[in-house]
Amino acid sequence: MPDDFIQIGTITGAHGIRGSVKVYSYAESPERFAVHGKVVLIDEAGGMRQDVITWAQAHKRIVRLTLEGVRTRGEAESLKGWGVFIARSELPALEPDTYYWKDLIGLAVVTTTGEHLGRVTQIIPTGANDIYVVETPPGHPSGEILIPAISSVVLDIDIEKGFMRVELPEGLI
């Protein structure tokens, strides 16, 4: 996936008979699915198409959309599983020390003593704070480490250099 796109959802199925789709939203705000907004749809094989939102209705994490190029239920059903992306340039500027998940996935994780713990492979949202799932290298005693995304544990993130520096609490590994 090119770095100039951010995934904001996944199409989970059709809605109604006129070609609307249901999207599971990853966006913090339903405004990412604004009418007249441009989206890029990408399937698992890398097939890509651009479209324009003509109607949107959000309900919790599900957003129902009508897309300009989708007219029938069959066309909508054929998009199940496709990712919904927007151009990175469409996103608001980030506040200091905040990051898009896409930028954190793949970062190397190192301790304050220089030990390489692995790479961030997934982020789990929780009510209090996110959890970074770190896949450890072969031969490490644990297959993965769950690191809380809190300032006392995650000391530094450098997107450009590709690493996250952490100080793990006792007993985390």
Side-chain angles (χ1 to χ4, degrees), residues 28-148:
E28 286 187 20
S29 169
E31 287 140 19
R32 294 292 141 241
F33 298 94
V35 172
H36 304 299
K38 295 178 184 175
V39 292
V40 175
L41 307 177
I42 302 176
D43 70 6
E44 291 179 0
M48 183 184 294
R49 64 181 270 177
Q50 293 187 10
D51 221 315
V52 176
I53 299 169
T54 59
W55 174 80
Q57 182 182 54
H59 180 70
K60 297 184 181 177
R61 301 298 299 175
I62 301 296
V63 180
R64 289 177 238 154
L65 299 178
T66 300
L67 301 169
E68 196 171 82
V70 181
R71 304 271 186 238
T72 67
R73 182 174 180 87
E75 289 173 345
E77 287 172 345
S78 73
L79 296 174
K80 183 176 180 178
W82 286 54
V84 180
F85 295 78
I86 60 173
R88 184 182 284 270
S89 61
E90 301 279 323
L91 296 171
L94 291 172
E95 295 186 22
D97 296 325
T98 58
Y99 306 92
Y100 291 116
W101 285 10
K102 176 183 172 96
D103 296 331
L104 297 174
I105 302 292
L107 289 182
V109 179
V110 296
T111 66
T112 54
T113 61
E115 178 187 1
H116 176 71
L117 296 176
R119 295 203 173 270
V120 177
T121 58
Q122 181 182 357
I123 300 171
I124 302 169
T126 68
N129 55 269
D130 293 341
I131 302 291
Y132 300 138
V133 179
V134 177
E135 185 177 307
T136 59
H140 195 277
S142 61
E144 69 181 18
I145 303 169
L146 303 178
I147 297 178

